[in-house]
Amino acid sequence: MNSPDRVPPGAVVVPFVKGHGTENDFLVVDDPGGTTELGPDLISAMCDRHAGVGADGVLAVVRTGDRWFMDYRNADGSPAETCGNGIRVFARYLADSGHVDANGRLEVDTRDGVKQVTYCPDGEISVDMGVVEAADEVRIALRDLKTSATRVDSGNPHAVAFVADLASVDLSVAPMFDPADFPDGVNVELVVRRGPHHVQMRVHERGVGETRSCGTGACAVAAALHAGDASPLPAEYLVDVPGGRLTVTLDEAGHAHLKGPAALTVTGTYFG
């Protein structure tokens, strides 16, 4: 990589911090004034795991009024309503960079509205993702699987399918679905039960592919589980993902509280 004083004329220079939440990884771009032009081509190049830095998406840190706005883009450059793992990484960055005090609570603005963030005593971060409700059954198809799935809106559109075995399913290709069911695309979670309130999950995220974790997906899974078992609220669910473990608590109002780790790992500069 070129050093900063040898960047070719006209090249795009983007400082970033890389972080992850249960190995769902993001590039954080500190841009309070919203002046950095993060177009789809640039984001795709930055997120490329072979020719770029590599990430599941980009989190731009933008100041809007009296709140911080998380401008989240998937790895293909498409905008997303919100991101549960991304909000925790975003909050970790705000605290570690000195933008906020990591005590108590923080409000983060997203395309899905304002989310309440809590810095927990155990070092993890909890996010109130709002009301998450399971809806009707739809059909999805993967390369080697056709099944029914529960449609859930957890800020992003999800289809949750309970299967007998996770290892045998190929998630390397995008799922097929009826565009009338999901006009803006869909994230698909495949789930196996490990206990009454304990599941294991794999996910294919729209605009990215299979990822190591999905926070809004974990919330969608918890909502689908609750719709099936009708447990009294509040109810806590453990969701194991390839990158670790997330805890989702559904409160009496139907809000999903997503709790898990968030870490910053690399600081650098991208030269495009």
Side-chain angles (χ1 to χ4, degrees), residues 174-185:
M176 298 179 65
F177 54 90
D178 187 339
D181 292 329
F182 300 104
D184 297 319

Side-chain angles (χ1 to χ4, degrees), residues 5-98:
D5 59 348
R6 299 182 62 185
V7 179
V12 178
V13 179
V14 184
F16 67 88
V17 174
K18 186 170 183 178
H20 75 95
T22 51
E23 298 182 6
N24 196 187
D25 58 345
F26 308 94
L27 303 179
V28 183
V29 177
D30 198 331
D31 187 27
T35 58
T36 304
E37 294 187 13
L38 294 171
D41 291 343
L42 175 58
I43 289 175
S44 294
M46 292 176 67
C47 291
D48 189 296
R49 296 192 181 277
H50 301 286
V53 182
D56 292 327
V58 171
L59 309 171
V61 180
V62 181
R63 188 71 176 176
T64 56
D66 59 352
R67 294 192 184 96
W68 291 98
F69 171 63
M70 183 182 74
D71 183 0
Y72 175 61
R73 310 286 172 140
N74 294 312
D76 68 351
S78 61
E81 294 85 349
T82 190
C83 179
N85 289 325
I87 294 177
R88 299 198 320 279
V89 172
F90 187 89
R92 177 68 67 209
Y93 175 79
L94 288 177
D96 287 9
S97 64

Side-chain angles (χ1 to χ4, degrees), residues 5 35 39-40 45 77 81 117-118 124 136 157 165 177 179 207 214 225 227 229 239 242 255-256:
D5 59 348
T35 58
E81 294 85 349
V117 175
T118 301
E124 293 193 340
D136 55 345
D165 175 44
F177 54 90
C214 179
L225 284 165
D229 63 24
V239 182
H255 285 228

Side-chain angles (χ1 to χ4, degrees), residues 188-207:
V188 174
E189 285 76 34
L190 302 180
V191 183
V192 295
R193 296 178 184 269
R194 297 302 186 205
H197 284 206
H198 182 194
V199 296
Q200 188 173 356
M201 177 187 97
R202 288 175 63 194
V203 58
H204 187 286
E205 294 195 59
R206 59 177 180 166

Side-chain angles (χ1 to χ4, degrees), residues 147-158:
T147 184
S148 62
T150 302
R151 175 163 38 188
V152 184
D153 182 354
S154 59
N156 297 329
H158 291 270

